[in-house]
Amino acid sequence: MGEIRLHGRGGQGTVIAAEMLANAFVFGGKYASVFPSFGVERRGSAVMAFARFGEKPIRERTRVYRPDILLMFDESLTEVLSNYDGFKSGGMIIANTKHEQNVINLNVNQQMLATVDGVGIALEETGTPITNTCMMGAFASATGLVKLDDLRQALGLYFTGTVLAKNLRSLERGYKEVKVTHFDKPVEPAPDHQGFDTDYVTIKPPQFTSTFDAAWDDVDKKLITTQTGGWRYKQPQPNQTACRLCGWCSIYCPAGSMKLGQDGYYHPDLNYCKGCGICANQCPAHAIMMKAEEVL
């Protein structure tokens, strides 16, 4: 039985990708199981999905704690060391990134690293930064575990018409344009003790990063705030000539990142703007455009 853990952000199609991948395994004559893991955050927050495949029926219904394969849908997540927790030495990593050296520098002992510019391909083929179909093509090419035709059949269960055609092109480009690098198989260190291995305890005590004794008058100074600007692929570009100064963008922004400036106009705080595009969709004057930005 093989185990896959998928890491992405809300809105990138991570969960649907896991389902389509499981269907492709089934179409190829294997058994598969899949389920997601959601947090409480909004669109753009980190999500995981888990998939298993094998030649025999799969009874296990737990999370994947010791993945053979990591499938990374977002470039920013490839540099978060905790996302590699439990990764089996000598496993495979398929990542949406143009900077493979950043993954190599983490020294997670992968035997194969496959990288592809998933966002670039997705924007060109589908017009959105939804990387799931491109990454599945890269997965098929790099691992050889599923056939491209089986993935095409799986996509047909979720898309139709022009949307299906666009995603098929994204799938095929991911298959063709993935870059695969192989490494020497790492040598497993001999265990220096016998018995229970505490390194892989899955339930650990919480690590508190703030106290709970703040008074109301200074509670804002002790809150832990996540700067969600790193989740963004597009940023809002307000047009002051067309702006009516109605403030709707500030009202509808889920992150509260549209701030009134000294010039009387609203501007996005790019430390917290996730690039969700809600401000542009809700602007009655159509004075906000979403502009793609380079992912470093």
Side-chain angles (χ1 to χ4, degrees):
M1 181 179 68
E3 296 185 305
I4 308 168
R5 194 167 68 208
L6 300 87
H7 291 267
R9 294 196 181 279
Q12 289 184 315
T14 306
V15 175
I16 293 178
E19 294 175 357
M20 290 189 288
L21 190 59
N23 280 309
F25 277 118
V26 173
F27 290 144
K30 294 182 173 65
Y31 291 91
S33 69
V34 61
F35 63 95
S37 173
F38 295 105
V40 296
E41 294 289 345
R42 299 180 293 267
R43 179 183 178 92
S45 61
V47 300
M48 289 189 293
F50 313 100
R52 292 181 173 90
F53 63 94
E55 302 295 335
K56 298 179 180 180
I58 298 170
R59 308 300 183 191
E60 191 168 352
R61 294 293 185 270
T62 64
R63 288 187 174 197
V64 171
Y65 294 104
R66 297 278 286 146
D68 305 282
I69 304 170
L70 286 174
L71 187 51
M72 319 284 279
F73 286 71
D74 187 272
E75 183 161 18
S76 65
L77 297 177
T78 63
E79 300 177 26
V80 179
L81 192 57
S82 61
N83 288 334
Y84 299 88
D85 285 352
F87 176 62
K88 290 181 182 177
S89 180
M92 295 183 283
I93 300 171
I94 300 93
N96 163 32
T97 180
K98 294 184 289 185
H99 307 286
E100 65 173 8
Q101 190 60 44
N102 292 342
V103 180
I104 296 172
N105 291 343
L106 294 175
N107 297 317
V108 293
N109 293 329
Q110 72 280 353
Q111 191 171 1
M112 185 271 283
L113 171 63
T115 59
V116 66
D117 180 13
V119 173
I121 292 173
L123 288 173
E124 290 176 11
E125 298 299 340
T126 69
T128 68
I130 300 177
T131 59
N132 55 358
T133 51
C134 172
M135 294 306 297
M136 284 194 298
F139 176 92
S141 178
T143 67
L145 292 171
V146 291
K147 296 180 179 179
L148 193 59
D149 284 342
D150 292 333
L151 282 171
R152 291 191 183 103
Q153 186 177 354
L155 262 64
L157 300 176
Y158 293 84
F159 307 113
T160 58
T162 58
V163 176
L164 174 60
K166 291 178 180 180
N167 280 280
L168 285 173
R169 292 197 299 269
S170 180
L171 173 77
E172 291 162 3
R173 284 191 61 184
Y175 187 88
K176 295 176 181 177
E177 298 179 27
V178 64
K179 176 185 176 183
V180 180
T181 304
H182 294 277
F183 302 85
D184 293 335
K185 186 174 182 179
V187 178
E188 291 286 351
D192 56 0
H193 66 279
Q194 299 294 325
F196 187 73
D197 190 346
T198 58
D199 288 342
Y200 300 112
V201 174
T202 57
I203 301 177
K204 298 181 180 181
Q207 301 298 314
F208 296 114
T209 55
S210 64
T211 60
F212 294 94
D213 59 354
W216 285 110
D217 59 350
D218 66 347
V219 68
D220 60 320
K221 299 177 182 178
K222 296 189 178 183
L223 289 175
I224 302 174
T225 304
T226 302
Q227 293 193 354
T228 53
W231 301 356
R232 187 178 59 249
Y233 286 113
K234 292 184 178 181
Q235 66 172 258
Q237 297 287 313
N239 181 347
Q240 294 184 358
T241 302
C243 180
R244 300 176 185 174
L245 303 177
C246 64
W248 279 31
C249 55
S250 177
I251 294 172
Y252 281 98
C253 177
S257 64
M258 294 298 288
K259 305 293 186 182
L260 183 63
Q262 294 182 352
D263 58 358
Y265 292 93
Y266 288 89
H267 303 276
D269 183 341
L270 298 180
N271 289 319
Y272 301 96
C273 172
K274 299 183 294 182
C276 64
I278 292 176
C279 57
N281 292 334
Q282 296 296 331
C283 178
H286 305 290
I288 302 175
M289 299 294 293
M290 297 302 295
K291 180 181 178 182
E293 59 182 27
E294 176 69 13
V295 179
L296 300 178

